[in-house]
Amino acid sequence: MELTDTTYSIQKSIFSGKAIAHLKLNASKFIGIFPKGFSSEIKSEPNSMEISFDSIPLGSKADYQVGEIENHEGSIPLPEASIVVGAGRGMKDASNWGIIEDLAQSLHAATACSKPVSDINWRPHHEHVGQTGIKIAPKLYIACGISGAIQHLAGVNGSGKIVVINQDPEAPFFKHADYGIVGDLFDVVPRLTKIIKEM
Ligand SMILES: Cc1cc2nc3c(=O)[nH]c(=O)nc-3n(C[C@H](O)[C@H](O)[C@H](O)COP(=O)(O)OP(=O)(O)OC[C@H]3O[C@@H](n4cnc5c(N)ncnc54)[C@H](O)[C@@H]3O)c2cc1C
């Protein structure tokens, strides 16, 4: 971020991180929204100005209005989860999700899904991650029966470590995985959960 006279010059990643847009803002103030909130340390480049962020007081009701509150009881909000277990069309049917929920519960993780899975209502839309869904940045993302399409990766490539479970050794997701398990998820996932529960 750079200040030249009266304009801010801002770099913003676009097209799923494939390009960087250089934007100029003629504004004296702006609000930035970042994944997981503000960094405690804002790095200053040689030609950049030091930026300090003011917190927005939510005290005055005149400043804002709450439209709707949606509670997802018992579940960990996806953007805040440090571990996420995601599953895709490899699950075959909505009724098979118990093994994903068991694994997530054993790790205190949130559950996520690929877009087609939420499109066919196997899972709720708030679990859909990717280019057109929620972008997540957990410490650990475990992807089960997800092929690893570019649009899915766009939402999960901020993860610290990625574990992929897929029966197809050629699945594109393996190229982006830190750890990969080639196998039938209906065999691998329950065994993994059992081991974690015994630890
Ligand atoms: C404009 C646009 C935007 C999109 N946005 C998104 C988005 O935000 N998020 C998103 O996810 N997708 C998005 N998509 C869709 C994306 O292109 C893929 O089609 C989608 O991610 C594939 O979902 P999937 O991996 O669950 O299913 P599939 O591609 O069908 O993959 C299923 C995988 O499961 C594996 N599998 C099957 N059975 C088993 C088993 N028993 N054990 C282990 N593995 C098994 C298969 O080998 C396969 O790799 C978008 C597409 C477009 C065109």
Side-chain angles (χ1 to χ4, degrees):
M1 187 179 305
E2 210 176 311
L3 184 67
T4 49
D5 299 330
T6 54
T7 60
Y8 286 102
S9 159
I10 292 175
Q11 291 184 22
K12 181 180 184 296
S13 132
I14 55 170
F15 299 125
S16 310
K18 288 199 170 45
I20 294 177
H22 296 265
L23 308 172
K24 292 223 183 300
L25 288 185
N26 290 313
S28 58
K29 290 180 181 174
F30 62 89
I31 297 172
I33 300 172
F34 301 87
K36 296 202 164 186
F38 298 118
S39 163
S40 55
E41 186 193 346
I42 309 281
K43 290 206 179 96
S44 178
E45 300 296 328
N47 294 325
S48 299
M49 62 176 286
E50 195 77 35
I51 302 292
S52 67
F53 289 98
D54 290 332
S55 62
I56 300 167
L58 292 176
S60 160
K61 279 198 177 156
D63 294 342
Y64 65 96
Q65 197 181 0
V66 179
E68 191 185 344
I69 296 176
E70 201 177 332
N71 283 322
H72 304 290
E73 274 179 31
S75 61
I76 300 165
L78 258 182
E80 292 164 28
S82 58
I83 305 177
V84 173
V85 180
R89 261 201 303 225
M91 293 300 295
K92 315 278 195 268
D93 192 76
S95 61
N96 294 328
W97 241 266
I99 57 170
I100 297 300
E101 282 164 350
D102 282 352
L103 176 59
Q105 212 171 18
S106 73
L107 290 165
H108 305 290
T111 49
C113 69
S114 63
K115 182 175 184 293
V117 158
S118 63
D119 285 347
I120 50 178
N121 289 322
W122 285 0
R123 296 301 288 177
H125 281 280
H126 64 79
E127 285 195 3
H128 152 204
V129 294
Q131 181 187 317
T132 49
I134 294 177
K135 307 221 174 357
I136 57 170
K139 286 184 183 155
L140 174 65
Y141 179 52
I142 304 176
C144 312
I146 299 177
S147 56
I150 187 86
Q151 296 90 353
H152 185 83
L153 294 171
V156 304
N157 57 15
S159 307
K161 297 279 178 211
I162 295 179
V163 177
V164 168
I165 302 168
N166 198 304
Q167 67 182 9
D168 176 8
E170 301 297 321
F173 220 152
F174 283 122
K175 292 198 179 83
H176 305 270
D178 296 284
Y179 303 95
I181 302 172
V182 179
D184 183 346
L185 69 88
F186 295 101
D187 172 39
V188 174
V189 171
R191 282 165 63 187
L192 197 56
T193 307
K194 187 168 179 284
I195 292 165
I196 291 162
K197 282 184 177 167
E198 286 168 1
M199 280 166 75

Short mmCIF file of all heavy atoms in Angstrom, two decimals, residues 145-177:
data_model
loop_
_atom_site.label_atom_id
_atom_site.label_comp_id
_atom_site.label_asym_id
_atom_site.label_seq_id
_atom_site.Cartn_x
_atom_site.Cartn_y
_atom_site.Cartn_z
N GLY A 145 -12.36 -37.27 -0.91
CA GLY A 145 -13.18 -37.46 -2.11
C GLY A 145 -13.45 -36.18 -2.85
O GLY A 145 -14.55 -35.97 -3.36
N ILE A 146 -12.45 -35.30 -2.89
CA ILE A 146 -12.54 -34.04 -3.65
C ILE A 146 -11.44 -34.07 -4.70
O ILE A 146 -10.28 -34.37 -4.38
CB ILE A 146 -12.36 -32.80 -2.74
CG1 ILE A 146 -13.46 -32.77 -1.66
CG2 ILE A 146 -12.38 -31.51 -3.55
CD1 ILE A 146 -13.33 -31.64 -0.65
N SER A 147 -11.78 -33.79 -5.97
CA SER A 147 -10.81 -33.95 -7.05
C SER A 147 -9.69 -32.91 -7.02
O SER A 147 -8.58 -33.18 -7.45
CB SER A 147 -11.52 -33.92 -8.40
OG SER A 147 -12.26 -32.72 -8.53
N GLY A 148 -10.02 -31.70 -6.54
CA GLY A 148 -9.00 -30.64 -6.50
C GLY A 148 -9.06 -29.73 -7.70
O GLY A 148 -8.02 -29.29 -8.22
N ALA A 149 -10.28 -29.44 -8.15
CA ALA A 149 -10.45 -28.50 -9.25
C ALA A 149 -9.93 -27.13 -8.83
O ALA A 149 -9.96 -26.78 -7.65
CB ALA A 149 -11.95 -28.40 -9.62
N ILE A 150 -9.49 -26.36 -9.83
CA ILE A 150 -8.89 -25.05 -9.57
C ILE A 150 -9.82 -24.15 -8.77
O ILE A 150 -9.39 -23.41 -7.88
CB ILE A 150 -8.45 -24.39 -10.91
CG1 ILE A 150 -7.67 -23.10 -10.69
CG2 ILE A 150 -9.61 -24.10 -11.84
CD1 ILE A 150 -6.22 -23.33 -10.47
N GLN A 151 -11.13 -24.25 -9.03
CA GLN A 151 -12.09 -23.40 -8.31
C GLN A 151 -12.19 -23.80 -6.85
O GLN A 151 -12.47 -22.96 -6.00
CB GLN A 151 -13.48 -23.48 -8.96
CG GLN A 151 -13.55 -22.97 -10.38
CD GLN A 151 -13.27 -24.03 -11.41
OE1 GLN A 151 -12.90 -25.15 -11.08
NE2 GLN A 151 -13.44 -23.70 -12.68
N HIS A 152 -11.99 -25.06 -6.54
CA HIS A 152 -12.00 -25.49 -5.14
C HIS A 152 -10.71 -25.03 -4.45
O HIS A 152 -10.74 -24.47 -3.36
CB HIS A 152 -12.15 -27.01 -5.03
CG HIS A 152 -12.29 -27.49 -3.63
ND1 HIS A 152 -13.50 -27.50 -2.95
CD2 HIS A 152 -11.37 -27.94 -2.73
CE1 HIS A 152 -13.31 -27.93 -1.72
NE2 HIS A 152 -12.03 -28.22 -1.56
N LEU A 153 -9.59 -25.24 -5.17
CA LEU A 153 -8.29 -24.86 -4.60
C LEU A 153 -8.24 -23.37 -4.25
O LEU A 153 -7.61 -22.98 -3.27
CB LEU A 153 -7.16 -25.18 -5.59
CG LEU A 153 -6.94 -26.67 -5.89
CD1 LEU A 153 -5.96 -26.84 -7.03
CD2 LEU A 153 -6.44 -27.39 -4.65
N ALA A 154 -8.93 -22.56 -5.04
CA ALA A 154 -8.92 -21.11 -4.81
C ALA A 154 -9.42 -20.75 -3.41
O ALA A 154 -9.07 -19.71 -2.88
CB ALA A 154 -9.77 -20.41 -5.86
N GLY A 155 -10.22 -21.63 -2.84
CA GLY A 155 -10.76 -21.33 -1.51
C GLY A 155 -10.00 -21.96 -0.37
O GLY A 155 -10.28 -21.66 0.80
N VAL A 156 -9.07 -22.86 -0.68
CA VAL A 156 -8.40 -23.60 0.40
C VAL A 156 -6.88 -23.48 0.35
O VAL A 156 -6.19 -24.03 1.22
CB VAL A 156 -8.81 -25.11 0.37
CG1 VAL A 156 -10.31 -25.26 0.45
CG2 VAL A 156 -8.26 -25.83 -0.86
N ASN A 157 -6.35 -22.78 -0.65
CA ASN A 157 -4.88 -22.75 -0.78
C ASN A 157 -4.18 -21.88 0.26
O ASN A 157 -2.96 -21.82 0.28
CB ASN A 157 -4.44 -22.42 -2.22
CG ASN A 157 -5.00 -21.11 -2.70
OD1 ASN A 157 -5.48 -20.32 -1.89
ND2 ASN A 157 -4.96 -20.86 -4.01
N GLY A 158 -4.96 -21.27 1.15
CA GLY A 158 -4.35 -20.56 2.28
C GLY A 158 -4.16 -21.48 3.48
O GLY A 158 -3.71 -21.02 4.54
N SER A 159 -4.48 -22.76 3.32
CA SER A 159 -4.35 -23.70 4.45
C SER A 159 -2.88 -23.95 4.77
O SER A 159 -2.04 -23.99 3.87
CB SER A 159 -5.01 -25.04 4.10
OG SER A 159 -6.34 -24.85 3.67
N GLY A 160 -2.59 -24.16 6.06
CA GLY A 160 -1.20 -24.43 6.46
C GLY A 160 -0.70 -25.74 5.88
O GLY A 160 0.32 -25.79 5.20
N LYS A 161 -1.42 -26.83 6.16
CA LYS A 161 -1.09 -28.15 5.61
C LYS A 161 -2.36 -28.74 5.00
O LYS A 161 -3.45 -28.59 5.55
CB LYS A 161 -0.59 -29.10 6.72
CG LYS A 161 0.68 -28.66 7.39
CD LYS A 161 1.90 -29.02 6.57
CE LYS A 161 3.15 -28.50 7.26
NZ LYS A 161 4.21 -28.15 6.33
N ILE A 162 -2.16 -29.45 3.88
CA ILE A 162 -3.31 -30.08 3.22
C ILE A 162 -3.09 -31.59 3.15
O ILE A 162 -2.03 -32.05 2.71
CB ILE A 162 -3.52 -29.51 1.80
CG1 ILE A 162 -3.89 -28.02 1.89
CG2 ILE A 162 -4.61 -30.28 1.05
CD1 ILE A 162 -4.11 -27.33 0.54
N VAL A 163 -4.08 -32.33 3.63
CA VAL A 163 -4.06 -33.79 3.53
C VAL A 163 -5.16 -34.20 2.56
O VAL A 163 -6.31 -33.77 2.72
CB VAL A 163 -4.32 -34.45 4.91
CG1 VAL A 163 -4.38 -35.97 4.79
CG2 VAL A 163 -3.27 -34.03 5.93
N VAL A 164 -4.82 -34.99 1.57
CA VAL A 164 -5.81 -35.40 0.57
C VAL A 164 -6.03 -36.91 0.65
O VAL A 164 -5.08 -37.69 0.67
CB VAL A 164 -5.34 -35.00 -0.85
CG1 VAL A 164 -6.19 -35.66 -1.93
CG2 VAL A 164 -5.36 -33.48 -1.01
N ILE A 165 -7.31 -37.28 0.72
CA ILE A 165 -7.68 -38.70 0.69
C ILE A 165 -8.50 -38.91 -0.57
O ILE A 165 -9.58 -38.33 -0.72
CB ILE A 165 -8.51 -39.09 1.95
CG1 ILE A 165 -7.72 -38.79 3.22
CG2 ILE A 165 -8.92 -40.56 1.87
CD1 ILE A 165 -8.54 -38.88 4.51
N ASN A 166 -7.98 -39.71 -1.50
CA ASN A 166 -8.67 -39.92 -2.78
C ASN A 166 -8.27 -41.28 -3.32
O ASN A 166 -7.11 -41.68 -3.22
CB ASN A 166 -8.30 -38.80 -3.77
CG ASN A 166 -9.27 -38.70 -4.93
OD1 ASN A 166 -9.52 -39.66 -5.64
ND2 ASN A 166 -9.84 -37.52 -5.09
N GLN A 167 -9.22 -41.98 -3.92
CA GLN A 167 -8.90 -43.33 -4.44
C GLN A 167 -8.17 -43.27 -5.78
O GLN A 167 -7.60 -44.26 -6.21
CB GLN A 167 -10.19 -44.15 -4.58
CG GLN A 167 -11.15 -43.66 -5.64
CD GLN A 167 -12.43 -44.47 -5.71
OE1 GLN A 167 -12.68 -45.31 -4.85
NE2 GLN A 167 -13.23 -44.22 -6.73
N ASP A 168 -8.20 -42.09 -6.42
CA ASP A 168 -7.55 -41.94 -7.73
C ASP A 168 -6.17 -41.30 -7.54
O ASP A 168 -6.06 -40.12 -7.22
CB ASP A 168 -8.43 -41.06 -8.62
CG ASP A 168 -7.80 -40.76 -9.97
OD1 ASP A 168 -6.74 -41.35 -10.27
OD2 ASP A 168 -8.36 -39.92 -10.71
N PRO A 169 -5.10 -42.08 -7.78
CA PRO A 169 -3.76 -41.51 -7.57
C PRO A 169 -3.46 -40.33 -8.49
O PRO A 169 -2.56 -39.54 -8.24
CB PRO A 169 -2.81 -42.69 -7.86
CG PRO A 169 -3.63 -43.72 -8.55
CD PRO A 169 -5.07 -43.47 -8.22
N GLU A 170 -4.25 -40.20 -9.58
CA GLU A 170 -4.05 -39.10 -10.53
C GLU A 170 -4.91 -37.87 -10.17
O GLU A 170 -4.93 -36.89 -10.94
CB GLU A 170 -4.43 -39.55 -11.96
CG GLU A 170 -3.64 -40.74 -12.49
CD GLU A 170 -2.16 -40.42 -12.60
OE1 GLU A 170 -1.83 -39.29 -13.00
OE2 GLU A 170 -1.34 -41.30 -12.27
N ALA A 171 -5.62 -37.89 -9.09
CA ALA A 171 -6.47 -36.75 -8.73
C ALA A 171 -5.60 -35.49 -8.60
O ALA A 171 -4.56 -35.51 -7.94
CB ALA A 171 -7.20 -37.01 -7.41
N PRO A 172 -6.00 -34.39 -9.25
CA PRO A 172 -5.17 -33.16 -9.26
C PRO A 172 -4.83 -32.65 -7.86
O PRO A 172 -3.80 -32.01 -7.66
CB PRO A 172 -6.04 -32.14 -10.00
CG PRO A 172 -7.09 -32.92 -10.71
CD PRO A 172 -7.24 -34.24 -10.03
N PHE A 173 -5.70 -32.93 -6.90
CA PHE A 173 -5.48 -32.41 -5.54
C PHE A 173 -4.15 -32.89 -4.94
O PHE A 173 -3.52 -32.19 -4.14
CB PHE A 173 -6.64 -32.84 -4.62
CG PHE A 173 -7.08 -31.76 -3.66
CD1 PHE A 173 -8.39 -31.73 -3.20
CD2 PHE A 173 -6.20 -30.77 -3.23
CE1 PHE A 173 -8.82 -30.72 -2.33
CE2 PHE A 173 -6.62 -29.77 -2.35
CZ PHE A 173 -7.93 -29.76 -1.91
N PHE A 174 -3.70 -34.08 -5.35
CA PHE A 174 -2.45 -34.60 -4.78
C PHE A 174 -1.25 -33.69 -5.08
O PHE A 174 -0.30 -33.64 -4.30
CB PHE A 174 -2.17 -36.02 -5.29
CG PHE A 174 -3.01 -37.07 -4.62
CD1 PHE A 174 -3.84 -37.90 -5.37
CD2 PHE A 174 -2.99 -37.23 -3.25
CE1 PHE A 174 -4.62 -38.87 -4.74
CE2 PHE A 174 -3.77 -38.19 -2.61
CZ PHE A 174 -4.59 -39.01 -3.37
N LYS A 175 -1.32 -32.97 -6.20
CA LYS A 175 -0.21 -32.05 -6.56
C LYS A 175 -0.12 -30.88 -5.58
O LYS A 175 0.89 -30.20 -5.51
CB LYS A 175 -0.41 -31.51 -7.97
CG LYS A 175 -0.26 -32.55 -9.06
CD LYS A 175 -0.02 -31.88 -10.42
CE LYS A 175 0.15 -32.92 -11.50
NZ LYS A 175 -1.10 -33.44 -12.02
N HIS A 176 -1.19 -30.64 -4.85
CA HIS A 176 -1.22 -29.49 -3.93
C HIS A 176 -1.22 -29.95 -2.47
O HIS A 176 -1.42 -29.15 -1.56
CB HIS A 176 -2.46 -28.63 -4.21
CG HIS A 176 -2.54 -28.20 -5.64
ND1 HIS A 176 -1.98 -27.03 -6.10
CD2 HIS A 176 -3.08 -28.82 -6.73
CE1 HIS A 176 -2.17 -26.94 -7.40
NE2 HIS A 176 -2.83 -28.00 -7.80
N ALA A 177 -1.03 -31.26 -2.27
CA ALA A 177 -1.14 -31.81 -0.92
C ALA A 177 0.22 -31.89 -0.23
O ALA A 177 1.25 -32.11 -0.87
CB ALA A 177 -1.75 -33.21 -0.99
#
